[in-house]
């Protein structure tokens, strides 16, 4: 795609626009004019009436008018992009009022910018803002000349008419396409829509998106989350990884039997159209002290009784793939609520933490207690190394080829050879010789650490096919930042994730290859690797013997830089692996 078509060169003076103090040339990006899907959280990107709507145009006149009106709010939507600019300016207009009595303008109508750090952690970007006919957010003093991945969350309770994002003309700006992963779809009430977060990024669905690093579709409709068939029909159109039904706060006045029927009908309706997709049902978590308002407390508890009864009946009938999130697990209290129903920012975090814990169990994505056992992405040092593009290429390759041999690793594996093809292949002859007839896939990513591979496994790279053999070579990029114990613990977590997704495959763990100046430490760590592999009941082998010289130092004739094998080194490594897995 020709990116230059996306940008408009602007010569703008700060005295006239408020964007800069001096006359500068800026370039502007209008997401609504992008020719690829870039709006995260929009389930029907090509079917909407207005660019930032949440429901498709066909829903107008089908769902109730109140639901349609609220679907024009951009709750849960976000834009991702890369930039190295020290300044990012967002200008836009909205259709409705700027604020509400119990929710500030920054939450109702504001935007919110987050960045990823080098190790995949999230950084909130503080900005200045001005609300008027045109709303302007200015984010300054960002890390200039360092490319970062940003996420811009859109207003929770307002409808965006138009929006443009500006950066100085000499700085980079690259929109990121929406993720192709099956989203978590949330159908709920004002609480899901985002009331009463002070910023869009503090709505619990946004926090959840960051915690799981997973796309989330927000179909929260303030006061109108009522498990209606017309809405469930639309929800079922979305090819989801998980459905969340969190509508009880809007159904407190529904008689028990009628509510049980609604819950049961919604579950069966979803399962009939999306069999096998898990459904998470959520209790009403309103907080009211029974000494202050006993009637209101009883009112908030009644729908939970109906939900639990319906849930038990569904389970008794053999309905699978349904789960329950309880009020106690969410754990709101007097300090976390605005009015006994709507959470404040503390309450939003309570919701997000409870959802993340439960959803990790449902999707089988556990996290450990050390950094190597928590799945994250990371910044890549090489300009132009688009790891997310490669991730998508891997998913496509697996879908097309159903590989039987899976080679998992970092740049040592990535730049060996095989498909998906890289721009560099240092050992094509040996790859073809030892793996060419094995229907192999190369799951090597430059700079990957154990926790990055864990992210890739959790996000689909071993899904949808059944491999015969998996070879894992990972850990060298952890050596300079983690202890041996942390590295071994990460390997343990990774092997469990691999086993869960490929139970029939044989797994071979390779010890970390010799590295210049670290030969002794690598040898010691590999003894831990052998123990972890044994405990996981998978095979282990150390290729160091064929890559070291007589003094147990790196054989420099086999490496290009003290880390990556050259063609001769790859021949040795290929022969070693080929003998273990059979040619």
């Amino acid at each position: 795609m020709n990116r230059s078509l996306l940008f408009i060169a602007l010569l703008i003076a700060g005295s006239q626009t408020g964007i800069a103090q001096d006359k500068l040339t800026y370039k502007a990006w209008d997401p609504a004019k992008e020719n690829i899907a870039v709006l995260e959280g929009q389930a029907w990107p090509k079917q909407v009436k207005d660019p930032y709507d949440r429901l498709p145009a066909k829903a107008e006149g089908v769902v109730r008018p109140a639901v349609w009106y609220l679907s024009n709010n951009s709750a849960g939507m976000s834009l991702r992009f890369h930039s190295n600019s020290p300044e990012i300016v967002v200008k836009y207009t909205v259709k409705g009022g700027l604020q509400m009595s119990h929710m500030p303008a920054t939450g109702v109508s504001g935007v919110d910018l987050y960045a990823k750090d080098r190790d995949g952690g999230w950084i909130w970007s503080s900005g200045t803002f001005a609300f008027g006919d045109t709303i302007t957010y200015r984010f300054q003093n960002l890390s200039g000349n360092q490319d970062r991945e940003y996420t811009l969350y859109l207003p929770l309770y307002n409808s965006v008419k138009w929006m443009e994002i500006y950066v100085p003309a000499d700085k980079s700006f690259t929109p990121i396409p929406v993720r192709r992963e099956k989203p978590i779809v949330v159908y709920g009430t004002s609480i899901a829509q985002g009331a009463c977060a002070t910023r869009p990024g503090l709505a619990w669905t946004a926090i959840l998106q960051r915690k799981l690093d997973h796309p989330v579709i927000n179909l929260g409709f303030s006061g109108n989350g009522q498990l209606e068939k017309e809405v469930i029909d639309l929800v079922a159109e979305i090819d989801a990884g998980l459905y969340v039904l969190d509508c009880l706060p809007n159904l407190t006045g529904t008689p028990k039997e009628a509510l049980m029927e609604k819950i049961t009908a919604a579950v069966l309706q979803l399962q009939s159209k999306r069999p096998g997709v898990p459904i998470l049902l959520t209790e009403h978590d309103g907080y009211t002290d029974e000494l202050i308002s006993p009637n209101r407390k009883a009112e908030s508890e009644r729908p939970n009784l109906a939900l639990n009864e319906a849930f038990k009946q569904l389970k008794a009938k053999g309905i699978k793939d349904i789960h329950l999130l309880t009020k106690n697990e969410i754990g709101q209290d007097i300090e976390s609520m605005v009015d006994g129903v709507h959470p404040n920012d503390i309450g939003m975090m309570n919701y997000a933490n409870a959802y993340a814990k439960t959803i990790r169990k449902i999707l089988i994505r556990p996290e450990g207690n050390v950094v190597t056992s928590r799945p994250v992405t990371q910044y890549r040092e090489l300009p132009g190394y688009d790891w997310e593009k490669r991730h998508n290429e891997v998913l496509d390759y697996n879908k097309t080829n159903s590989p039987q041999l899976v080679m998992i690793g970092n740049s040592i594996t990535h730049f060996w050879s095989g498909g998906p093809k890289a721009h560099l292949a240092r050992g094509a002859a040996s790859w073809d010789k030892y793996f060419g007839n094995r229907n192999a896939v190369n799951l090597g990513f430059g700079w990957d650490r154990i926790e990055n591979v864990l992210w890739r496994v959790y996000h689909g790279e071993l899904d949808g096919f059944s491999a015969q053999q998996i070879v894992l070579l990972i850990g060298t990029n952890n050596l300079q930042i983690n202890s041996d114990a942390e590295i071994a613990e990460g390997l343990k977590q990774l092997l469990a994730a691999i086993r869960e997704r490929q139970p029939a495959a044989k797994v071979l763990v390779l010890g970390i290859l010799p590295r210049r100046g670290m030969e002794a430490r690598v040898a010691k760590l590999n003894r831990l690797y052998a123990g972890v592999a044994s405990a996981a009941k998978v095979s282990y082998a150390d290729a160091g013997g064929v890559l070291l010289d007589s003094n147990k130092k790196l054989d420099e004739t086999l490496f290009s830089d003290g880390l990556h094998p050259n063609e001769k080194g790859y021949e040795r490594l290929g022969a070693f692996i080929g003998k273990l897995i059979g040619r």
Side-chain angles (χ1 to χ4, degrees):
M1 178 176 52
N2 186 351
R3 290 287 179 199
S4 64
L5 297 177
L6 302 178
F7 296 113
I8 307 167
L10 299 175
L11 195 64
I12 48 183
S15 59
Q16 296 174 333
T17 67
I19 291 180
Q21 296 302 314
D22 301 312
K23 187 174 290 186
L24 291 172
T25 301
Y26 282 73
K27 53 190 177 186
W29 178 58
D30 183 343
K33 295 180 180 179
E34 178 60 82
N35 58 7
I36 58 172
V38 293
L39 195 55
E40 289 273 352
Q42 188 176 63
W44 294 270
K46 297 181 180 179
Q47 303 175 44
V48 292
K49 182 177 180 180
D50 292 320
Y52 299 96
D53 285 354
R54 289 185 291 156
L55 290 182
K58 67 182 180 182
E60 187 175 14
V62 175
V63 300
R64 287 185 297 108
V67 174
W68 173 251
Y69 171 78
L70 290 162
S71 77
N72 301 147
N73 296 164
S74 55
M77 293 187 185
S78 60
L79 297 160
R80 294 191 304 144
F81 53 88
H82 284 283
S83 181
N84 65 354
S85 177
E87 178 186 21
I88 296 172
V89 179
V90 185
K91 300 183 73 175
Y92 59 102
T93 60
V94 295
K95 298 178 181 179
L98 295 179
Q99 62 186 34
M100 299 188 292
S101 60
H102 63 322
M103 188 173 174
T106 50
V108 173
S109 305
V111 295
D112 213 0
L113 186 66
Y114 283 74
K116 275 192 173 182
D117 66 19
R118 298 177 68 85
D119 297 316
W122 289 100
I123 307 167
W124 177 63
S125 303
S126 175
T128 59
F129 45 84
F131 287 89
D133 292 339
T134 297
I135 301 171
T136 300
Y137 269 73
R138 184 186 303 131
F139 303 94
Q140 295 178 308
N141 300 315
L142 304 172
S143 298
N145 298 319
Q146 180 176 333
D147 184 79
R148 287 194 184 278
E149 176 186 330
Y150 289 93
T151 295
L152 181 75
Y153 293 98
L154 303 191
L156 295 170
Y157 265 82
N158 223 321
S159 304
V160 176
K161 290 197 291 186
W162 68 267
M163 173 178 286
E164 288 183 337
I165 301 173
Y166 301 83
V167 297
D170 62 338
K171 298 300 179 181
S172 67
F173 185 95
T174 306
I176 303 176
V178 297
R179 286 173 286 191
R180 293 157 48 183
E181 198 165 6
K182 293 182 179 182
I184 296 166
V185 178
V186 179
Y187 174 29
T189 68
S190 56
I191 299 169
Q193 183 166 342
C196 290
T198 57
R199 300 187 273 108
L202 291 178
W204 72 256
T205 55
I207 301 171
L208 180 70
Q209 178 188 349
R210 294 194 299 276
K211 282 182 172 292
L212 299 181
D213 207 359
H214 193 108
V216 176
I217 304 290
N218 184 328
L219 295 180
F221 304 113
S222 187
N224 289 274
Q226 299 179 14
L227 295 178
E228 295 167 288
K229 181 182 182 301
E230 296 79 8
V231 180
I232 295 291
D233 279 337
L234 290 165
V235 169
E237 290 184 7
I238 306 170
D239 187 10
L242 170 73
Y243 296 107
V244 175
L245 301 181
D246 189 355
C247 292
L248 294 195
N250 289 161
L251 295 167
T252 56
T254 306
K256 179 181 178 181
E257 294 299 325
L259 182 51
M260 289 176 61
E261 289 179 9
K262 270 185 171 287
I263 294 166
T264 300
V267 169
L268 296 180
Q269 187 179 348
L270 277 177
Q271 288 203 336
S272 68
K273 295 185 177 182
R274 296 290 180 179
V277 180
I279 300 170
L280 176 58
L281 303 162
T282 307
E283 288 188 356
H284 179 21
D285 195 32
Y287 178 85
T288 304
D289 191 313
E290 61 182 339
L291 295 177
I292 299 174
S293 182
N295 292 335
R296 188 174 176 185
K297 184 174 188 299
E299 181 183 84
S300 69
E301 290 178 345
R302 277 196 297 271
N304 291 344
L305 297 175
L307 174 60
N308 278 272
E309 184 68 25
F311 185 79
K312 290 178 182 177
Q313 289 183 10
L314 287 165
K315 296 290 281 187
K317 292 177 182 178
I319 303 299
K320 299 179 180 179
D321 300 313
I322 58 173
H323 307 267
L324 185 66
L325 180 62
T326 69
K327 174 187 177 82
N328 288 339
E329 289 172 312
I330 300 170
Q332 305 292 20
D333 59 29
I334 195 171
E335 307 295 346
S336 63
M337 309 293 278
V338 172
D339 52 12
V341 175
H342 299 98
N344 56 26
D345 292 342
I346 298 171
M348 286 293 183
M349 188 62 71
N350 289 343
Y351 266 108
N353 286 336
Y355 269 110
K357 183 177 180 180
T358 298
I359 291 172
R360 285 190 186 107
K361 291 179 182 178
I362 295 172
L363 300 183
I364 317 177
R365 294 183 182 180
E367 287 190 343
N369 296 320
V370 297
V371 65
T372 54
S373 61
R374 295 194 290 267
V376 292
T377 61
Q378 65 146 305
Y379 176 76
R380 310 292 159 147
E381 301 290 344
L382 182 67
Y385 191 105
D386 190 340
W387 73 267
E388 188 167 346
K389 179 182 177 183
R390 177 164 173 78
H391 172 64
N392 289 330
E393 290 172 348
V394 164
L395 298 180
D396 290 340
Y397 190 92
N398 289 346
K399 186 176 181 180
T400 301
N401 295 278
S402 296
Q404 296 300 294
L405 172 61
V406 180
M407 305 288 286
I408 302 176
N410 46 49
S411 57
I412 295 172
T413 301
H414 184 189
F415 298 131
W416 192 338
S417 190
K421 288 186 177 180
H423 69 279
L424 177 65
R426 293 190 175 105
S430 58
W431 181 281
D432 292 341
K433 179 179 179 180
Y434 297 107
F435 314 132
N437 63 347
R438 294 292 299 267
N439 187 13
V441 62
N442 185 325
L443 266 60
F445 280 58
W447 292 275
D448 251 22
R449 303 191 290 262
I450 289 173
E451 58 268 31
N452 307 138
V453 179
L454 185 62
W455 187 98
R456 295 196 281 116
V457 170
Y458 280 177
H459 289 259
E461 291 193 11
L462 291 182
D463 296 343
F465 66 98
S466 182
Q468 293 179 350
Q469 177 75 59
I470 295 173
V471 178
L472 177 64
L473 174 59
I474 195 67
T476 193
N477 290 323
N478 292 93
L479 289 171
Q480 294 178 320
I481 57 176
N482 298 113
S483 69
D484 288 2
E486 288 173 333
I487 296 171
E489 184 63 25
L491 178 64
K492 178 181 177 181
Q493 185 88 14
L494 177 56
L495 286 175
I498 292 171
R499 265 282 174 242
E500 177 65 38
R501 287 153 179 81
Q502 291 284 343
K506 297 178 181 178
V507 179
L508 170 63
V509 176
L510 293 177
I512 296 174
L513 298 188
R515 184 167 182 160
R516 184 189 295 150
M518 292 188 177
E519 294 90 343
R521 183 186 173 191
V522 166
K524 180 182 177 182
L525 177 55
N526 281 345
R527 290 193 285 272
L528 289 179
Y529 266 44
V532 171
S534 177
K537 297 182 179 179
V538 301
S539 300
Y540 170 80
D542 184 357
V546 300
L547 299 171
L548 294 170
D549 62 20
S550 58
N551 296 316
K552 295 187 178 181
K553 295 294 183 181
L554 188 85
D555 187 337
E556 298 284 354
T557 68
L558 303 176
F559 290 82
S560 61
D561 55 5
L563 172 62
H564 298 92
N566 56 24
E567 187 172 353
K568 184 178 178 182
Y570 276 121
E571 167 62 32
R572 293 265 188 103
L573 186 58
F576 181 84
I577 296 172
K579 184 176 180 180
L580 293 170
I581 66 175
R583 291 176 58 182

